[in-house]
Amino acid sequence: QVQLVESGGGLVQPGGSLRLSCAASSGSSFIINAMGWYRQAPGKQRELVAAITSGGSTNYADSVKGRFTISRDNGKNTVYLQMNSLKVEDTAVYYCNAVARLLVTSRWRDYWGQGTQVTVSS
């Protein structure tokens, strides 16, 4: 199994910034392909916020373009989400997602973090 642990969430005022981190680890050697950040607000469906491939290609939800930046450090098996100019509507639980496989297998699968709360409020 591959574990994903998010950190960096919290309470921030509109216009503020937060940086989320997600570190992947396993008891066995593993390979990560794409990684992404999803979010889910109460009563709403989970949505993709940003994604990044192993080569660094990125894509973003239209609602966050120009404000959020996704990046990764492959050596540290970590993906980041820099969130600037935060809005109230960004409030949600943010989940890290990774497509990964153990080195001893050929099966790729999705892994999910436990989520970190981001609250934007004045």
Side-chain angles (χ1 to χ4, degrees):
Q1 296 277 46
V2 177
Q3 293 78 45
L4 304 178
V5 180
E6 305 102 330
S7 63
L11 175 64
V12 66
Q13 295 182 352
S17 298
L18 286 173
R19 188 192 190 210
L20 305 183
S21 299
C22 172
S25 63
S26 177
S28 302
S29 296
F30 63 98
I31 301 172
I32 300 176
N33 193 343
M35 302 187 78
W37 289 94
Y38 291 74
R39 68 186 182 187
Q40 186 168 23
K44 298 187 66 177
Q45 192 172 24
R46 183 184 64 185
E47 64 174 344
L48 176 67
V49 177
I52 185 168
T53 69
S54 60
S57 180
T58 61
N59 65 84
Y60 299 89
D62 288 341
S63 60
V64 307
K65 286 182 178 178
R67 299 188 298 119
F68 291 10
T69 302
I70 189 170
S71 61
R72 65 191 291 171
D73 185 333
N74 291 335
K76 296 182 178 180
N77 296 316
T78 300
V79 63
Y80 307 93
L81 185 67
Q82 179 66 47
M83 305 184 294
N84 298 326
S85 302
L86 282 162
K87 304 175 180 179
V88 172
E89 50 263 44
D90 294 319
T91 296
V93 177
Y94 284 70
Y95 296 93
C96 179
N97 170 261
V99 178
R101 71 171 179 89
L102 300 179
L103 201 61
V104 297
T105 75
S106 61
R107 180 181 178 181
W108 295 86
R109 57 172 289 182
D110 284 337
Y111 293 90
W112 292 91
Q114 64 182 8
T116 184
Q117 177 70 48
V118 172
T119 302
V120 185
S121 177
S122 61

